[in-house]
Amino acid sequence: MRDRAIIVAVRDKNNYKYFDETLEELKDLLSFAGAELKFVVIQKAHEINPSTLIGKGKIQEIKNLADHFDVNLIVFLNHLTPAQFKNLEKEFQNIKLIDRVGLILDIFAQRARTIEGKLQVELAQLNYLLPRIVGYGKMLSRLGGGIGTRGPGEKQLTIEKRKILKRINYIRKRLEMVQKNRSIQRKGRLRSNYPIVSIVGYTNAGKSTLFNVLTKSNVDVDRRAFTTLDPKTELAYIDDKTQVLLIDTVGFVRNLPKELMDAFKATFEELIYSDLHILLFDVSNPNFESHISYTNKLLDDLGASFIPKINVFNKIDKLSEEEINKIKEKYPDFIMISAKNKQNVDILKKQIKRKILEVTNEYKN
């Protein structure tokens, strides 16, 4: 049975610039997680309530809405501190509470497939839940599964902090072993003499579709967020004389949770070892310009901004000719493609070959 949810979003001086974008993104994330959105509650605030995030009047309004719509899940756009979570948990006795960070972690828990991916997600969830363990323990003792209760599981989240810390240390040691194996695989790729090209961008930008087109493989393609959690590598034939190792990477979202950035550090570090980045953006998304700036900022934060790149707009099949021409005028250096229809992919291939030749010549010199 699907969770029935209310979204609560506080607009303040810290988030007003990207409030509408992040709210729409949260709606998509909630849908990706499998919940049914019943209502959105928005509060404008000059100052955040340090105790409960929202005021008493708004709490009562949400309670009334929850009763009316028979809601069992409340999702907060804003990050909840452990104290806010604990206090809100007292107000909403029989309703699961989760914030945007927790929701993203939940989606990652659904998508994880490999041992490394599952360990990384569990580590991120436990680090996120550790300061909130008292509230989550009470909540999970009363409620069943669903959003906010996936991943490590009910038993893991209700034991005392000492055992949680022990579990965190155990996972870190396991990840060190797994990542040593990843390092061996990376060295093998570097010794292969094939240039390494990574497809980078926001979640749902069409990275896996482009990966399939270039490699002629059959990686899962899904419009839901974070379909790709574990980087996939295949040989791609750019032309008869040019082959590259192509990597399909984890998708970005704005303000990716620190817990995930830390847990997936080794995965994101793969980007540093690439010879070329294909930065892919969904040009049909109304917020594509902020996606460009955030992607470049994240690459800079990861220390990977020095890698040569090709900027690509995907999903031009969703735009009119007039819209495409306007965007071309503003972004003349971007390649416009439709990975789905294979439109202009030949142009992208030529640019990949040109860039790879430039990189190869630099190495020789």
Side-chain angles (χ1 to χ4, degrees):
M1 190 174 183
R2 294 175 70 190
D3 285 299
R4 300 169 303 282
I6 288 175
I7 286 177
V8 178
V10 179
R11 182 183 182 123
D12 65 4
K13 61 184 179 182
N14 295 317
N15 69 3
Y16 74 94
K17 286 185 178 179
Y18 301 109
F19 180 83
D20 292 337
E21 177 189 347
T22 51
L23 179 57
E24 289 305 310
E25 182 181 82
L26 184 65
K27 291 178 185 177
D28 285 341
L29 290 171
L30 189 60
S31 175
F32 296 150
E36 180 184 2
L37 178 60
K38 290 294 188 179
F39 205 85
V40 177
V41 176
I42 297 174
Q43 181 173 32
K44 295 179 181 179
H46 294 294
E47 298 292 337
I48 293 291
N49 186 321
S51 177
T52 55
L53 182 73
I54 51 178
K56 290 183 179 179
K58 193 61 69 174
I59 288 174
Q60 188 56 52
E61 178 187 337
I62 296 167
K63 285 180 179 179
N64 295 338
L65 288 167
D67 287 339
H68 178 75
F69 289 108
D70 191 25
V71 161
N72 69 329
L73 175 67
I74 298 174
V75 183
F76 289 83
L77 174 69
N78 310 71
H79 178 74
L80 292 177
T81 66
Q84 288 169 342
F85 179 87
K86 185 178 178 181
N87 292 329
L88 286 167
E89 200 259 355
K90 292 175 183 176
E91 294 286 348
F92 299 100
Q93 288 289 316
N94 295 304
I95 301 176
K96 291 180 289 186
L97 306 181
I98 196 170
D99 61 12
R100 176 180 177 272
V101 174
L103 180 63
I104 291 173
L105 291 173
D106 184 273
I107 295 171
F108 266 62
Q110 292 184 52
R111 303 288 190 267
R113 294 290 180 268
T114 65
I115 292 173
E116 183 180 15
K118 289 177 181 178
L119 287 171
Q120 287 172 318
V121 171
E122 182 174 357
L123 178 61
Q125 285 188 310
L126 290 174
N127 279 321
Y128 169 74
L129 293 172
L130 186 59
R132 300 165 174 82
I133 203 69
V134 175
Y136 262 88
K138 290 177 182 176
M139 184 181 77
L140 290 171
S141 67
R142 294 196 308 267
L143 301 166
I147 291 172
T149 61
R150 275 181 279 256
E154 190 170 322
K155 182 180 177 182
Q156 291 289 352
L157 301 181
T158 54
I159 58 178
E160 64 267 25
K161 288 187 178 183
R162 181 177 57 82
K163 289 187 178 179
I164 291 288
L165 288 168
K166 187 177 179 181
R167 176 67 180 169
I168 286 173
N169 289 331
Y170 169 76
I171 293 172
R172 282 177 175 157
K173 288 177 182 177
R174 284 283 308 277
L175 276 173
E176 283 177 10
M177 294 171 62
V178 173
Q179 286 158 7
K180 281 181 182 177
N181 184 50
R182 177 187 286 278
S183 179
I184 293 169
Q185 291 174 341
R186 181 193 300 135
K187 288 176 182 176
R189 289 200 300 268
L190 293 172
R191 284 197 300 266
S192 71
N193 291 324
Y194 288 115
I196 299 171
V197 179
S198 295
I199 305 175
V200 183
Y202 253 61
T203 186
N204 204 31
K207 295 186 298 299
S208 293
T209 301
L210 179 60
F211 182 86
N212 285 342
V213 170
L214 293 175
T215 61
K216 298 180 180 178
S217 56
N218 193 30
V219 167
D220 286 343
V221 175
D222 195 325
R223 74 166 297 273
R224 296 176 299 172
F226 311 120
T227 302
T228 304
L229 283 191
D230 306 290
K232 297 173 179 63
T233 305
E234 294 282 352
L235 193 64
Y237 289 81
I238 304 305
D239 62 21
D240 293 339
K241 297 180 180 179
T242 310
Q243 295 89 44
V244 302
L245 284 175
L246 194 66
I247 301 178
D248 185 16
T249 62
V250 179
F252 299 155
V253 292
R254 178 172 294 281
N255 298 324
L256 200 63
K258 182 181 182 299
E259 292 84 358
L260 277 175
M261 288 297 292
D262 291 343
F264 279 77
K265 185 179 179 182
T267 301
F268 286 120
E269 281 180 348
E270 289 289 313
L271 297 173
I272 299 172
Y273 297 94
S274 303
D275 296 298
L276 177 67
H277 290 161
I278 298 173
L279 304 192
L280 193 68
F281 305 100
D282 175 2
V283 73
S284 69
N285 188 306
N287 301 304
F288 74 83
E289 290 185 309
S290 66
H291 292 180
I292 294 171
S293 60
Y294 183 72
T295 298
N296 282 300
K297 180 183 180 300
L298 193 53
L299 286 172
D300 191 47
D301 291 343
L302 291 168
S305 58
F306 69 95
I307 304 294
K309 65 185 178 183
I310 300 173
N311 289 305
V312 181
F313 281 139
N314 189 26
K315 305 190 183 182
I316 61 171
D317 53 289
K318 294 185 176 183
L319 300 183
S320 67
E321 196 69 34
E322 183 181 353
E323 288 172 321
I324 292 172
N325 288 332
K326 282 183 179 179
I327 293 169
K328 276 182 178 179
E329 286 181 15
K330 189 171 182 180
Y331 296 93
D333 296 329
F334 279 62
I335 297 174
M336 312 279 281
I337 73 166
S338 168
K340 177 183 175 183
N341 297 337
K342 300 182 181 178
Q343 184 179 351
N344 295 339
V345 171
D346 56 330
I347 297 173
L348 174 60
K349 283 184 174 182
K350 288 177 182 177
Q351 183 70 346
I352 292 172
K353 181 174 182 178
R354 189 178 73 80
K355 285 281 188 181
I356 289 299
L357 285 173
E358 288 178 5
V359 171
T360 304
N361 288 334
E362 282 182 17
Y363 287 159
K364 288 179 180 178
N365 295 330

